[in-house]
Amino acid sequence: MSNVQISPSLMTMDLDKFKTQLEFLDQHVDSYHIDIMDGHFVPNITLSPWFIQEVRKISKRPMSAHLMVTDAPFWVQQLIDIKCECICMPAEVINGLAFRLIDQIHDAGLKAGVVLNPETPISVVEPYIELLDKITIMTVDPGFAGQRFLASALQKIVALRALRDQNGYKYLIEMDGSSNRAHFKMIDEADPDIYIVGRSGLFGLNDHIDTAWSQMVKDYEEITGKKLNK
């Protein structure tokens, strides 16, 4: 049986069925993944801290914010103000700020993470890796749903697990990008702790969220040979 956590990317959900989908998913998922893009770090603009507050009116599950922004301190403070459970910052823009931002998040009683884009090596976060609660590995280029899956990025998941085992680090390892039937086998072999599922892996499988969820579970179990305990 698989103990992986499932975190749907709400950027790809059907907003016409916002309440219905969240009420169903709350019975099955471990957390929600909230993409926050500023139009500068990536060209798209998506969700916001306000959206997290709207989700909280319906959901009891923890939320993890994935920042794709150039001004990390501005957004981190907003997310601290609304007590977003986990704040994941872009490793590419927090050099020189990482220690103080991680401390700021932890001092607020929240979890701090970083996100590594496909071209970004693990070495970028090694100076503060022992402080992290989560590391997200992008297996697609950031900013848009439906990007090409980059299998080479999975090697970083394997390396991060080895580093954690060797050093007793506490971070969870999350993968973000094209988590679906076509890639479940490769992802399972890399062995992340958290799968982010979006349009191709969940919301696009069927117009009805219960049917889409059942199909996602079936796909995972058929491809990996493991039962998904959800």
PDB file of all heavy atoms in Angstrom, residues 92 116-120 137-144 146-158 174-180 182-184 186-187 190 200:
ATOM      1  N   GLU A  92      15.177  30.333  -6.654  1.00  0.00           N
ATOM      2  CA  GLU A  92      15.945  31.170  -7.581  1.00  0.00           C
ATOM      3  C   GLU A  92      15.984  32.641  -7.174  1.00  0.00           C
ATOM      4  O   GLU A  92      16.845  33.388  -7.649  1.00  0.00           O
ATOM      5  CB  GLU A  92      15.361  31.050  -8.991  1.00  0.00           C
ATOM      6  CG  GLU A  92      15.415  29.661  -9.590  1.00  0.00           C
ATOM      7  CD  GLU A  92      14.325  28.727  -9.107  1.00  0.00           C
ATOM      8  OE1 GLU A  92      13.361  29.200  -8.455  1.00  0.00           O
ATOM      9  OE2 GLU A  92      14.423  27.517  -9.360  1.00  0.00           O
ATOM     10  N   LEU A 116      12.248  24.119  -6.526  1.00  0.00           N
ATOM     11  CA  LEU A 116      13.356  24.102  -7.475  1.00  0.00           C
ATOM     12  C   LEU A 116      12.815  23.910  -8.882  1.00  0.00           C
ATOM     13  O   LEU A 116      12.186  22.885  -9.184  1.00  0.00           O
ATOM     14  CB  LEU A 116      14.327  22.969  -7.152  1.00  0.00           C
ATOM     15  CG  LEU A 116      15.033  23.016  -5.792  1.00  0.00           C
ATOM     16  CD1 LEU A 116      15.921  21.791  -5.618  1.00  0.00           C
ATOM     17  CD2 LEU A 116      15.854  24.280  -5.649  1.00  0.00           C
ATOM     18  N   ASN A 117      13.048  24.880  -9.753  1.00  0.00           N
ATOM     19  CA  ASN A 117      12.676  24.741 -11.150  1.00  0.00           C
ATOM     20  C   ASN A 117      13.558  23.680 -11.817  1.00  0.00           C
ATOM     21  O   ASN A 117      14.607  23.299 -11.278  1.00  0.00           O
ATOM     22  CB  ASN A 117      12.809  26.084 -11.863  1.00  0.00           C
ATOM     23  CG  ASN A 117      11.665  27.016 -11.527  1.00  0.00           C
ATOM     24  OD1 ASN A 117      10.598  26.601 -11.074  1.00  0.00           O
ATOM     25  ND2 ASN A 117      11.881  28.308 -11.735  1.00  0.00           N
ATOM     26  N   PRO A 118      13.162  23.184 -12.981  1.00  0.00           N
ATOM     27  CA  PRO A 118      13.895  22.069 -13.586  1.00  0.00           C
ATOM     28  C   PRO A 118      15.397  22.309 -13.765  1.00  0.00           C
ATOM     29  O   PRO A 118      16.194  21.385 -13.636  1.00  0.00           O
ATOM     30  CB  PRO A 118      13.197  21.886 -14.941  1.00  0.00           C
ATOM     31  CG  PRO A 118      11.794  22.327 -14.695  1.00  0.00           C
ATOM     32  CD  PRO A 118      11.927  23.491 -13.743  1.00  0.00           C
ATOM     33  N   GLU A 119      15.792  23.552 -14.044  1.00  0.00           N
ATOM     34  CA  GLU A 119      17.214  23.826 -14.286  1.00  0.00           C
ATOM     35  C   GLU A 119      17.991  24.096 -13.000  1.00  0.00           C
ATOM     36  O   GLU A 119      19.227  24.221 -13.046  1.00  0.00           O
ATOM     37  CB  GLU A 119      17.367  25.053 -15.198  1.00  0.00           C
ATOM     38  CG  GLU A 119      16.683  24.940 -16.534  1.00  0.00           C
ATOM     39  CD  GLU A 119      15.248  25.459 -16.500  1.00  0.00           C
ATOM     40  OE1 GLU A 119      14.692  25.640 -15.390  1.00  0.00           O
ATOM     41  OE2 GLU A 119      14.684  25.685 -17.585  1.00  0.00           O
ATOM     42  N   THR A 120      17.307  24.210 -11.865  1.00  0.00           N
ATOM     43  CA  THR A 120      17.953  24.627 -10.619  1.00  0.00           C
ATOM     44  C   THR A 120      18.474  23.422  -9.845  1.00  0.00           C
ATOM     45  O   THR A 120      17.698  22.534  -9.494  1.00  0.00           O
ATOM     46  CB  THR A 120      16.968  25.413  -9.739  1.00  0.00           C
ATOM     47  OG1 THR A 120      16.438  26.503 -10.503  1.00  0.00           O
ATOM     48  CG2 THR A 120      17.661  25.964  -8.499  1.00  0.00           C
ATOM     49  N   ILE A 137       9.952  19.765  -6.209  1.00  0.00           N
ATOM     50  CA  ILE A 137      10.711  19.609  -7.449  1.00  0.00           C
ATOM     51  C   ILE A 137       9.759  19.794  -8.625  1.00  0.00           C
ATOM     52  O   ILE A 137       8.788  19.040  -8.786  1.00  0.00           O
ATOM     53  CB  ILE A 137      11.377  18.222  -7.511  1.00  0.00           C
ATOM     54  CG1 ILE A 137      12.385  18.057  -6.373  1.00  0.00           C
ATOM     55  CG2 ILE A 137      12.035  18.005  -8.872  1.00  0.00           C
ATOM     56  CD1 ILE A 137      13.495  19.081  -6.366  1.00  0.00           C
ATOM     57  N   MET A 138      10.035  20.779  -9.445  1.00  0.00           N
ATOM     58  CA  MET A 138       9.245  21.001 -10.650  1.00  0.00           C
ATOM     59  C   MET A 138       9.694  20.033 -11.737  1.00  0.00           C
ATOM     60  O   MET A 138      10.878  19.958 -12.058  1.00  0.00           O
ATOM     61  CB  MET A 138       9.415  22.435 -11.152  1.00  0.00           C
ATOM     62  CG  MET A 138       8.864  23.507 -10.220  1.00  0.00           C
ATOM     63  SD  MET A 138       7.070  23.388  -9.994  1.00  0.00           S
ATOM     64  CE  MET A 138       6.491  23.736 -11.660  1.00  0.00           C
ATOM     65  N   THR A 139       8.743  19.287 -12.274  1.00  0.00           N
ATOM     66  CA  THR A 139       9.036  18.375 -13.383  1.00  0.00           C
ATOM     67  C   THR A 139       8.473  18.915 -14.699  1.00  0.00           C
ATOM     68  O   THR A 139       8.414  18.192 -15.697  1.00  0.00           O
ATOM     69  CB  THR A 139       8.475  16.978 -13.092  1.00  0.00           C
ATOM     70  OG1 THR A 139       7.091  17.092 -12.720  1.00  0.00           O
ATOM     71  CG2 THR A 139       9.237  16.313 -11.960  1.00  0.00           C
ATOM     72  N   VAL A 140       8.087  20.182 -14.679  1.00  0.00           N
ATOM     73  CA  VAL A 140       7.711  20.924 -15.884  1.00  0.00           C
ATOM     74  C   VAL A 140       8.257  22.334 -15.732  1.00  0.00           C
ATOM     75  O   VAL A 140       8.576  22.773 -14.624  1.00  0.00           O
ATOM     76  CB  VAL A 140       6.169  20.983 -16.091  1.00  0.00           C
ATOM     77  CG1 VAL A 140       5.580  19.596 -16.276  1.00  0.00           C
ATOM     78  CG2 VAL A 140       5.495  21.714 -14.936  1.00  0.00           C
ATOM     79  N   ASP A 141       8.355  23.076 -16.817  1.00  0.00           N
ATOM     80  CA  ASP A 141       8.671  24.490 -16.701  1.00  0.00           C
ATOM     81  C   ASP A 141       7.525  25.189 -15.981  1.00  0.00           C
ATOM     82  O   ASP A 141       6.357  24.881 -16.228  1.00  0.00           O
ATOM     83  CB  ASP A 141       8.870  25.114 -18.085  1.00  0.00           C
ATOM     84  CG  ASP A 141      10.204  24.748 -18.709  1.00  0.00           C
ATOM     85  OD1 ASP A 141      11.158  24.467 -17.942  1.00  0.00           O
ATOM     86  OD2 ASP A 141      10.307  24.741 -19.947  1.00  0.00           O
ATOM     87  N   PRO A 142       7.820  26.129 -15.087  1.00  0.00           N
ATOM     88  CA  PRO A 142       6.769  26.735 -14.268  1.00  0.00           C
ATOM     89  C   PRO A 142       5.940  27.758 -15.025  1.00  0.00           C
ATOM     90  O   PRO A 142       6.386  28.322 -16.028  1.00  0.00           O
ATOM     91  CB  PRO A 142       7.564  27.419 -13.151  1.00  0.00           C
ATOM     92  CG  PRO A 142       8.850  27.788 -13.810  1.00  0.00           C
ATOM     93  CD  PRO A 142       9.154  26.662 -14.769  1.00  0.00           C
ATOM     94  N   GLY A 143       4.719  27.964 -14.527  1.00  0.00           N
ATOM     95  CA  GLY A 143       3.915  29.076 -15.001  1.00  0.00           C
ATOM     96  C   GLY A 143       2.636  28.730 -15.719  1.00  0.00           C
ATOM     97  O   GLY A 143       1.709  29.520 -15.760  1.00  0.00           O
ATOM     98  N   PHE A 144       2.555  27.544 -16.301  1.00  0.00           N
ATOM     99  CA  PHE A 144       1.370  27.163 -17.053  1.00  0.00           C
ATOM    100  C   PHE A 144       1.078  25.682 -16.846  1.00  0.00           C
ATOM    101  O   PHE A 144       1.998  24.873 -16.689  1.00  0.00           O
ATOM    102  CB  PHE A 144       1.566  27.411 -18.560  1.00  0.00           C
ATOM    103  CG  PHE A 144       1.750  28.853 -18.921  1.00  0.00           C
ATOM    104  CD1 PHE A 144       3.021  29.404 -18.973  1.00  0.00           C
ATOM    105  CD2 PHE A 144       0.658  29.658 -19.199  1.00  0.00           C
ATOM    106  CE1 PHE A 144       3.205  30.733 -19.305  1.00  0.00           C
ATOM    107  CE2 PHE A 144       0.833  30.996 -19.525  1.00  0.00           C
ATOM    108  CZ  PHE A 144       2.106  31.533 -19.580  1.00  0.00           C
ATOM    109  N   GLY A 146      -0.033  22.001 -18.282  1.00  0.00           N
ATOM    110  CA  GLY A 146       0.111  21.311 -19.561  1.00  0.00           C
ATOM    111  C   GLY A 146       1.480  21.383 -20.197  1.00  0.00           C
ATOM    112  O   GLY A 146       1.637  21.092 -21.386  1.00  0.00           O
ATOM    113  N   GLN A 147       2.512  21.743 -19.427  1.00  0.00           N
ATOM    114  CA  GLN A 147       3.866  21.792 -19.980  1.00  0.00           C
ATOM    115  C   GLN A 147       4.440  20.376 -20.169  1.00  0.00           C
ATOM    116  O   GLN A 147       3.973  19.405 -19.580  1.00  0.00           O
ATOM    117  CB  GLN A 147       4.781  22.575 -19.043  1.00  0.00           C
ATOM    118  CG  GLN A 147       4.378  24.022 -18.847  1.00  0.00           C
ATOM    119  CD  GLN A 147       4.661  24.868 -20.064  1.00  0.00           C
ATOM    120  OE1 GLN A 147       5.778  24.923 -20.555  1.00  0.00           O
ATOM    121  NE2 GLN A 147       3.640  25.537 -20.576  1.00  0.00           N
ATOM    122  N   ARG A 148       5.491  20.279 -20.986  1.00  0.00           N
ATOM    123  CA  ARG A 148       6.130  18.987 -21.250  1.00  0.00           C
ATOM    124  C   ARG A 148       6.790  18.444 -19.990  1.00  0.00           C
ATOM    125  O   ARG A 148       7.486  19.158 -19.271  1.00  0.00           O
ATOM    126  CB  ARG A 148       7.178  19.142 -22.358  1.00  0.00           C
ATOM    127  CG  ARG A 148       7.890  17.839 -22.730  1.00  0.00           C
ATOM    128  CD  ARG A 148       8.715  18.025 -23.984  1.00  0.00           C
ATOM    129  NE  ARG A 148       9.890  18.853 -23.784  1.00  0.00           N
ATOM    130  CZ  ARG A 148      11.083  18.383 -23.392  1.00  0.00           C
ATOM    131  NH1 ARG A 148      11.230  17.095 -23.125  1.00  0.00           N
ATOM    132  NH2 ARG A 148      12.108  19.200 -23.268  1.00  0.00           N
ATOM    133  N   PHE A 149       6.577  17.152 -19.727  1.00  0.00           N
ATOM    134  CA  PHE A 149       7.154  16.483 -18.560  1.00  0.00           C
ATOM    135  C   PHE A 149       8.659  16.295 -18.762  1.00  0.00           C
ATOM    136  O   PHE A 149       9.098  15.821 -19.810  1.00  0.00           O
ATOM    137  CB  PHE A 149       6.483  15.125 -18.356  1.00  0.00           C
ATOM    138  CG  PHE A 149       6.940  14.383 -17.133  1.00  0.00           C
ATOM    139  CD1 PHE A 149       6.501  14.763 -15.884  1.00  0.00           C
ATOM    140  CD2 PHE A 149       7.798  13.297 -17.243  1.00  0.00           C
ATOM    141  CE1 PHE A 149       6.901  14.068 -14.748  1.00  0.00           C
ATOM    142  CE2 PHE A 149       8.209  12.599 -16.114  1.00  0.00           C
ATOM    143  CZ  PHE A 149       7.754  12.993 -14.862  1.00  0.00           C
ATOM    144  N   LEU A 150       9.431  16.674 -17.753  1.00  0.00           N
ATOM    145  CA  LEU A 150      10.896  16.608 -17.830  1.00  0.00           C
ATOM    146  C   LEU A 150      11.379  15.527 -16.872  1.00  0.00           C
ATOM    147  O   LEU A 150      11.621  15.767 -15.685  1.00  0.00           O
ATOM    148  CB  LEU A 150      11.494  17.968 -17.475  1.00  0.00           C
ATOM    149  CG  LEU A 150      11.021  19.129 -18.374  1.00  0.00           C
ATOM    150  CD1 LEU A 150      11.456  20.468 -17.813  1.00  0.00           C
ATOM    151  CD2 LEU A 150      11.534  18.942 -19.800  1.00  0.00           C
ATOM    152  N   ALA A 151      11.518  14.322 -17.395  1.00  0.00           N
ATOM    153  CA  ALA A 151      11.836  13.165 -16.556  1.00  0.00           C
ATOM    154  C   ALA A 151      13.166  13.326 -15.828  1.00  0.00           C
ATOM    155  O   ALA A 151      13.353  12.775 -14.736  1.00  0.00           O
ATOM    156  CB  ALA A 151      11.845  11.900 -17.411  1.00  0.00           C
ATOM    157  N   SER A 152      14.102  14.068 -16.403  1.00  0.00           N
ATOM    158  CA  SER A 152      15.420  14.211 -15.768  1.00  0.00           C
ATOM    159  C   SER A 152      15.322  14.871 -14.398  1.00  0.00           C
ATOM    160  O   SER A 152      16.179  14.645 -13.529  1.00  0.00           O
ATOM    161  CB  SER A 152      16.352  15.026 -16.672  1.00  0.00           C
ATOM    162  OG  SER A 152      15.821  16.320 -16.904  1.00  0.00           O
ATOM    163  N   ALA A 153      14.284  15.669 -14.179  1.00  0.00           N
ATOM    164  CA  ALA A 153      14.126  16.344 -12.888  1.00  0.00           C
ATOM    165  C   ALA A 153      13.862  15.357 -11.762  1.00  0.00           C
ATOM    166  O   ALA A 153      14.096  15.665 -10.584  1.00  0.00           O
ATOM    167  CB  ALA A 153      12.998  17.372 -12.967  1.00  0.00           C
ATOM    168  N   LEU A 154      13.371  14.162 -12.092  1.00  0.00           N
ATOM    169  CA  LEU A 154      13.091  13.158 -11.069  1.00  0.00           C
ATOM    170  C   LEU A 154      14.361  12.719 -10.343  1.00  0.00           C
ATOM    171  O   LEU A 154      14.289  12.244  -9.207  1.00  0.00           O
ATOM    172  CB  LEU A 154      12.401  11.944 -11.688  1.00  0.00           C
ATOM    173  CG  LEU A 154      11.001  12.188 -12.270  1.00  0.00           C
ATOM    174  CD1 LEU A 154      10.500  10.939 -12.984  1.00  0.00           C
ATOM    175  CD2 LEU A 154      10.022  12.608 -11.178  1.00  0.00           C
ATOM    176  N   GLN A 155      15.503  12.884 -10.984  1.00  0.00           N
ATOM    177  CA  GLN A 155      16.768  12.510 -10.340  1.00  0.00           C
ATOM    178  C   GLN A 155      16.994  13.319  -9.065  1.00  0.00           C
ATOM    179  O   GLN A 155      17.641  12.850  -8.122  1.00  0.00           O
ATOM    180  CB  GLN A 155      17.925  12.712 -11.323  1.00  0.00           C
ATOM    181  CG  GLN A 155      17.843  11.818 -12.552  1.00  0.00           C
ATOM    182  CD  GLN A 155      18.858  12.201 -13.617  1.00  0.00           C
ATOM    183  OE1 GLN A 155      19.762  12.997 -13.383  1.00  0.00           O
ATOM    184  NE2 GLN A 155      18.717  11.621 -14.800  1.00  0.00           N
ATOM    185  N   LYS A 156      16.469  14.542  -9.035  1.00  0.00           N
ATOM    186  CA  LYS A 156      16.624  15.370  -7.835  1.00  0.00           C
ATOM    187  C   LYS A 156      15.813  14.818  -6.671  1.00  0.00           C
ATOM    188  O   LYS A 156      16.215  14.954  -5.499  1.00  0.00           O
ATOM    189  CB  LYS A 156      16.220  16.821  -8.144  1.00  0.00           C
ATOM    190  CG  LYS A 156      17.264  17.571  -8.946  1.00  0.00           C
ATOM    191  CD  LYS A 156      16.936  19.037  -9.091  1.00  0.00           C
ATOM    192  CE  LYS A 156      15.986  19.286 -10.221  1.00  0.00           C
ATOM    193  NZ  LYS A 156      15.808  20.724 -10.520  1.00  0.00           N
ATOM    194  N   ILE A 157      14.678  14.194  -6.963  1.00  0.00           N
ATOM    195  CA  ILE A 157      13.887  13.565  -5.899  1.00  0.00           C
ATOM    196  C   ILE A 157      14.673  12.435  -5.267  1.00  0.00           C
ATOM    197  O   ILE A 157      14.734  12.303  -4.036  1.00  0.00           O
ATOM    198  CB  ILE A 157      12.539  13.062  -6.461  1.00  0.00           C
ATOM    199  CG1 ILE A 157      11.694  14.250  -6.933  1.00  0.00           C
ATOM    200  CG2 ILE A 157      11.796  12.232  -5.428  1.00  0.00           C
ATOM    201  CD1 ILE A 157      10.407  13.851  -7.629  1.00  0.00           C
ATOM    202  N   VAL A 158      15.294  11.612  -6.099  1.00  0.00           N
ATOM    203  CA  VAL A 158      16.116  10.504  -5.598  1.00  0.00           C
ATOM    204  C   VAL A 158      17.267  11.043  -4.747  1.00  0.00           C
ATOM    205  O   VAL A 158      17.552  10.532  -3.649  1.00  0.00           O
ATOM    206  CB  VAL A 158      16.657   9.666  -6.776  1.00  0.00           C
ATOM    207  CG1 VAL A 158      17.583   8.570  -6.274  1.00  0.00           C
ATOM    208  CG2 VAL A 158      15.501   9.076  -7.580  1.00  0.00           C
ATOM    209  N   GLU A 174       8.243  16.867  -2.578  1.00  0.00           N
ATOM    210  CA  GLU A 174       7.020  17.006  -3.361  1.00  0.00           C
ATOM    211  C   GLU A 174       7.386  17.141  -4.833  1.00  0.00           C
ATOM    212  O   GLU A 174       8.399  17.758  -5.165  1.00  0.00           O
ATOM    213  CB  GLU A 174       6.280  18.252  -2.875  1.00  0.00           C
ATOM    214  CG  GLU A 174       4.995  18.603  -3.572  1.00  0.00           C
ATOM    215  CD  GLU A 174       4.338  19.801  -2.925  1.00  0.00           C
ATOM    216  OE1 GLU A 174       4.852  20.944  -3.092  1.00  0.00           O
ATOM    217  OE2 GLU A 174       3.323  19.628  -2.226  1.00  0.00           O
ATOM    218  N   MET A 175       6.571  16.551  -5.714  1.00  0.00           N
ATOM    219  CA  MET A 175       6.802  16.741  -7.142  1.00  0.00           C
ATOM    220  C   MET A 175       5.614  17.466  -7.749  1.00  0.00           C
ATOM    221  O   MET A 175       4.467  17.233  -7.390  1.00  0.00           O
ATOM    222  CB  MET A 175       7.070  15.424  -7.857  1.00  0.00           C
ATOM    223  CG  MET A 175       5.934  14.417  -7.938  1.00  0.00           C
ATOM    224  SD  MET A 175       4.642  14.767  -9.167  1.00  0.00           S
ATOM    225  CE  MET A 175       5.604  14.904 -10.646  1.00  0.00           C
ATOM    226  N   ASP A 176       5.908  18.373  -8.668  1.00  0.00           N
ATOM    227  CA  ASP A 176       4.888  19.227  -9.265  1.00  0.00           C
ATOM    228  C   ASP A 176       5.074  19.259 -10.774  1.00  0.00           C
ATOM    229  O   ASP A 176       6.063  19.796 -11.268  1.00  0.00           O
ATOM    230  CB  ASP A 176       4.998  20.633  -8.684  1.00  0.00           C
ATOM    231  CG  ASP A 176       3.916  21.577  -9.200  1.00  0.00           C
ATOM    232  OD1 ASP A 176       3.040  21.139  -9.959  1.00  0.00           O
ATOM    233  OD2 ASP A 176       3.953  22.766  -8.823  1.00  0.00           O
ATOM    234  N   GLY A 177       4.100  18.661 -11.508  1.00  0.00           N
ATOM    235  CA  GLY A 177       4.133  18.773 -12.952  1.00  0.00           C
ATOM    236  C   GLY A 177       3.810  17.487 -13.677  1.00  0.00           C
ATOM    237  O   GLY A 177       4.572  16.522 -13.612  1.00  0.00           O
ATOM    238  N   SER A 178       2.658  17.454 -14.336  1.00  0.00           N
ATOM    239  CA  SER A 178       2.237  16.319 -15.163  1.00  0.00           C
ATOM    240  C   SER A 178       2.247  15.003 -14.399  1.00  0.00           C
ATOM    241  O   SER A 178       2.755  13.989 -14.878  1.00  0.00           O
ATOM    242  CB  SER A 178       3.115  16.208 -16.418  1.00  0.00           C
ATOM    243  OG  SER A 178       2.865  17.276 -17.295  1.00  0.00           O
ATOM    244  N   SER A 179       1.701  15.038 -13.194  1.00  0.00           N
ATOM    245  CA  SER A 179       1.537  13.811 -12.417  1.00  0.00           C
ATOM    246  C   SER A 179       0.271  13.122 -12.913  1.00  0.00           C
ATOM    247  O   SER A 179      -0.850  13.492 -12.541  1.00  0.00           O
ATOM    248  CB  SER A 179       1.433  14.146 -10.923  1.00  0.00           C
ATOM    249  OG  SER A 179       1.251  12.987 -10.160  1.00  0.00           O
ATOM    250  N   ASN A 180       0.432  12.121 -13.758  1.00  0.00           N
ATOM    251  CA  ASN A 180      -0.715  11.477 -14.397  1.00  0.00           C
ATOM    252  C   ASN A 180      -0.342  10.052 -14.812  1.00  0.00           C
ATOM    253  O   ASN A 180       0.762   9.587 -14.554  1.00  0.00           O
ATOM    254  CB  ASN A 180      -1.195  12.296 -15.604  1.00  0.00           C
ATOM    255  CG  ASN A 180      -0.089  12.556 -16.606  1.00  0.00           C
ATOM    256  OD1 ASN A 180       0.735  11.689 -16.890  1.00  0.00           O
ATOM    257  ND2 ASN A 180      -0.039  13.777 -17.141  1.00  0.00           N
ATOM    258  N   ALA A 182       0.472   8.663 -17.530  1.00  0.00           N
ATOM    259  CA  ALA A 182       1.634   8.481 -18.399  1.00  0.00           C
ATOM    260  C   ALA A 182       2.950   8.483 -17.628  1.00  0.00           C
ATOM    261  O   ALA A 182       3.946   7.929 -18.100  1.00  0.00           O
ATOM    262  CB  ALA A 182       1.656   9.567 -19.467  1.00  0.00           C
ATOM    263  N   HIS A 183       2.950   9.099 -16.430  1.00  0.00           N
ATOM    264  CA  HIS A 183       4.206   9.293 -15.706  1.00  0.00           C
ATOM    265  C   HIS A 183       4.218   8.671 -14.314  1.00  0.00           C
ATOM    266  O   HIS A 183       5.245   8.739 -13.625  1.00  0.00           O
ATOM    267  CB  HIS A 183       4.506  10.793 -15.593  1.00  0.00           C
ATOM    268  CG  HIS A 183       4.482  11.503 -16.899  1.00  0.00           C
ATOM    269  ND1 HIS A 183       3.701  12.607 -17.139  1.00  0.00           N
ATOM    270  CD2 HIS A 183       5.123  11.231 -18.072  1.00  0.00           C
ATOM    271  CE1 HIS A 183       3.865  12.999 -18.392  1.00  0.00           C
ATOM    272  NE2 HIS A 183       4.720  12.185 -18.978  1.00  0.00           N
ATOM    273  N   PHE A 184       3.115   8.087 -13.887  1.00  0.00           N
ATOM    274  CA  PHE A 184       3.052   7.554 -12.522  1.00  0.00           C
ATOM    275  C   PHE A 184       4.155   6.546 -12.236  1.00  0.00           C
ATOM    276  O   PHE A 184       4.691   6.502 -11.122  1.00  0.00           O
ATOM    277  CB  PHE A 184       1.689   6.913 -12.249  1.00  0.00           C
ATOM    278  CG  PHE A 184       0.600   7.887 -11.881  1.00  0.00           C
ATOM    279  CD1 PHE A 184      -0.728   7.618 -12.209  1.00  0.00           C
ATOM    280  CD2 PHE A 184       0.879   9.056 -11.203  1.00  0.00           C
ATOM    281  CE1 PHE A 184      -1.738   8.504 -11.864  1.00  0.00           C
ATOM    282  CE2 PHE A 184      -0.117   9.952 -10.853  1.00  0.00           C
ATOM    283  CZ  PHE A 184      -1.430   9.674 -11.192  1.00  0.00           C
ATOM    284  N   MET A 186       7.280   6.311 -13.474  1.00  0.00           N
ATOM    285  CA  MET A 186       8.558   6.991 -13.268  1.00  0.00           C
ATOM    286  C   MET A 186       8.566   7.756 -11.943  1.00  0.00           C
ATOM    287  O   MET A 186       9.568   7.762 -11.222  1.00  0.00           O
ATOM    288  CB  MET A 186       8.837   7.956 -14.420  1.00  0.00           C
ATOM    289  CG  MET A 186       9.218   7.299 -15.722  1.00  0.00           C
ATOM    290  SD  MET A 186       9.671   8.524 -16.986  1.00  0.00           S
ATOM    291  CE  MET A 186       8.052   9.162 -17.421  1.00  0.00           C
ATOM    292  N   ILE A 187       7.450   8.398 -11.645  1.00  0.00           N
ATOM    293  CA  ILE A 187       7.368   9.170 -10.405  1.00  0.00           C
ATOM    294  C   ILE A 187       7.454   8.247  -9.199  1.00  0.00           C
ATOM    295  O   ILE A 187       8.168   8.522  -8.225  1.00  0.00           O
ATOM    296  CB  ILE A 187       6.062   9.996 -10.376  1.00  0.00           C
ATOM    297  CG1 ILE A 187       6.043  11.013 -11.518  1.00  0.00           C
ATOM    298  CG2 ILE A 187       5.924  10.715  -9.026  1.00  0.00           C
ATOM    299  CD1 ILE A 187       4.692  11.643 -11.747  1.00  0.00           C
ATOM    300  N   ALA A 190      10.925   7.241  -8.436  1.00  0.00           N
ATOM    301  CA  ALA A 190      11.696   8.303  -7.786  1.00  0.00           C
ATOM    302  C   ALA A 190      11.308   8.453  -6.325  1.00  0.00           C
ATOM    303  O   ALA A 190      12.110   8.878  -5.503  1.00  0.00           O
ATOM    304  CB  ALA A 190      11.509   9.624  -8.539  1.00  0.00           C
ATOM    305  N   SER A 200      -4.255  17.210 -15.909  1.00  0.00           N
ATOM    306  CA  SER A 200      -4.049  15.947 -16.623  1.00  0.00           C
ATOM    307  C   SER A 200      -4.192  14.735 -15.715  1.00  0.00           C
ATOM    308  O   SER A 200      -4.533  13.644 -16.178  1.00  0.00           O
ATOM    309  CB  SER A 200      -2.670  15.932 -17.292  1.00  0.00           C
ATOM    310  OG  SER A 200      -1.640  15.931 -16.316  1.00  0.00           O
TER     311      SER A 200
END
